[in-house]
Structure formats: C-alpha cells, structure tokens
Amino acid sequence: MILNVYTSLLVLFLVNSVWTRSVRQVYDDLDPEHWSHYTSECPQECFCPPSFPHALYCDNKGLKEIPSIPARIWYLYLQNNQIETLSEKPFVNATHLRWINLNKNKITNSGIENGVLSKLKRLLYLFLEDNELEEVPAPLPVGLEQLRLAKNKISRIPEGVFSHLENLTMLDLHQNSLLDSALQSDTFQGLSNLMQLNIAKNSLKKMPLSIPANTLQLFLDNNSIEVIPENYFSAIPKVTFLRLNYNKLSDDGIPTNGFNVSSILDLQLSHNQLTKIPPINAHLEHLHLDHNKIKSVNGTQICPVSIALEEDYGYYGNIPRLRYLRLDGNEIQPPIPLDIMICFRLLQAVVI
C-alpha cells in the first residue's frame, strides 16, 4: 500500500524531470543546419531557443495579445504579461501543444473565446494562476493531466466542467473565493484519477462533498472548517497527505476516530482550536499539532496500540510508525513524557 502511494506521488511531483529527459533527447537529435529555420518562424516578440525547438518563450514581454504559435511548439510560456483574451486565431496551427503557462496575466472568463481550450486536443498541462477568472473555464481539453487555477477570483464551478477529465491528476484551486455552495455532490464527478486536490485559502466552512475516491493529497488549509463528518474519510480510502492547518477545528468537531485512518501518513492540524490530541492510527508518520490549545500530553492515552503489546512484539510487531511530532505553540511544558518515547519508538523529531 505505502509503496503504491509513494510511486504515485513520485509520478505526480517529478513530472518535470521526465519532461527534461525528453527535452535532452531533442537536443541530441537536432541538426544545427535547421536552426535558422526555427528562428525565422519564431514570433518577433518571443524567444525560440534553437536547442529546444518545441518551446516558445513569450514570458515577461508586456504582451497584451498572444502571437501566432508555430505548429512545432509543444511548450508555450506566456506568464507575466498583460494578456486579457484567449482567442482561437493564435492557436490555429498549434495542434501539438502539451503545455501552456498563462500565469500572472489579466485573463477573464469573458475574454476566453468559447471552445478555444477544448480544441487543444493534446494539451496536458494548463496553468492559469493569478488571473481574473471568476469561474472555472469551460469546456476544457479532455486529455488534461494538470489544471492550475490558483489565485483567481473563482466563486463558481460550472456543472459538469470536470465530467470528462478522467486523466486529470492535479487540480489546484487554492486562494480563490469558493464557498460551500460552490462544491456540490457532483462537482468533482468524472475525476477518476485525481491524486491531488488543493482547495486551500478559500471560504469553506464544511468539508467538501464527494472528493474523488483516488485522491492521495487533500489540502484544505486556511478555510473556516469547524467539523469533520463521521466516517468522512471512508469515501477517500487512499488519502495519504491531509492538510487542515489554519481552520476552526475544536475537539467537539472531530469524531472519536475521525483521524484514525490507516491510509493517512501525514496529518497537519496546526493553528486550530484543539485542546487534546485526537486518536491517530499506528500507520501515521508525521503529525503537526502546533499552535493549538493543548495543555498536556499523555503517551499512554494517545498511543494507537497497547504499550504492553508493543513490548511483547518489539520492532517486529505493529508498532506505531510516527517519526515526526510537532507540538510547539501550545501550553505544553517540557520535558517530553517518557511514555511518548516508549509508545513511539521510531520518533526522530519532537518539537515542543
């Protein structure tokens, strides 16, 4: 189980290294005599590196419009400009685009021509962070693997906008204006392969409904969530990394075994209103509880297995796997209780 999780995360977070290897193969295969050809068809406002013929760099150029994109381009960099509209005309010949970075522009929903994105059939990565979007743009390319929409003004998610994105592995919606009403029971329907969902820094008061079952990483920091529903995580049995820092969780808002979930390896509950450590699972490896209202720690009470049984089985039994525990910013006074060390024998760091 753990091996599968880390394998999936490796695919998700090291994807850039895969692209790099592909790029290096292009470097080796490119004949220098064709460099002048690549340069001549390069838009005047942009830079086309001869050693990277599939890339077009138009970032930081003060552009207000997207130039005509050559047919050979796979990677398009348009970040840090003044672009307000996305029209079909610049992309007529760009049928091989895999990657578009449009971060830090001034794109609005009304400025996106209907259907322009969905016509980019081979697009895998779409970055539209830090623009002026008020809702998730639609329709989207069905082959997308990553969609980054952070730092916009999104308060609405159109019905069915994700229904055909079965290849999407990452959806980033952090730092927008989403309320609970924007996340309906079918909002994420169709995202059967989603691994990371980031809805941090919005205005949620409740845990979102119907998170895709294959989600590994769920980020909900900086909202106003007060309650974890009973058996909430049974619907997302693979969740491994859970971040709920900077919310309004109290002891009463967490079911008795709300976080006693075997799949969770990293649990972050910093900057909430907890007065005690909630029950955890023996598989948990990292626990962040700093800046709550915890006054004391009893290792015997929080130990996920019986200390007596643990002594019988030693390192060959089901001993707790906790390696990192953060408790600073509470009302706990050192030293660390001995029973904490007896229970969590694999602990490598305790911050108190």
Side-chain angles (χ1 to χ4, degrees), residues 64-84:
K64 293 186 177 180
E65 296 181 349
I66 298 175
S68 180
I69 311 303
R72 61 183 169 82
I73 298 303
W74 290 9
Y75 313 103
L76 177 58
Y77 299 89
L78 288 161
Q79 66 270 29
N80 294 301
N81 281 295
Q82 304 293 318
I83 297 169
E84 298 181 359

Side-chain angles (χ1 to χ4, degrees), residues 98-116:
R98 266 74 161 175
W99 175 303
I100 299 179
N101 189 333
L102 279 159
N103 293 345
K104 294 188 178 180
N105 278 283
K106 297 184 177 180
I107 298 168
T108 62
N109 288 95
S110 60
I112 300 177
E113 185 176 327
N114 187 37
V116 62

Side-chain angles (χ1 to χ4, degrees), residues 8-17 146 170 196 217 219:
S8 299
L9 292 176
L10 188 63
V11 172
L12 182 63
F13 286 108
L14 298 183
V15 66
N16 287 338
S17 64
Q146 288 192 18
M170 175 190 285
Q196 184 186 104
Q217 300 183 325
F219 302 151

Side-chain angles (χ1 to χ4, degrees), residues 24-50:
R24 287 173 179 167
Q25 291 172 0
V26 172
Y27 292 170
D28 296 338
D29 295 341
L30 183 62
D31 188 340
E33 70 182 28
H34 296 300
W35 287 6
S36 59
H37 166 69
Y38 290 127
T39 303
S40 65
E41 66 173 2
C42 183
Q44 185 176 1
E45 310 95 324
C46 306
F47 172 59
C48 300

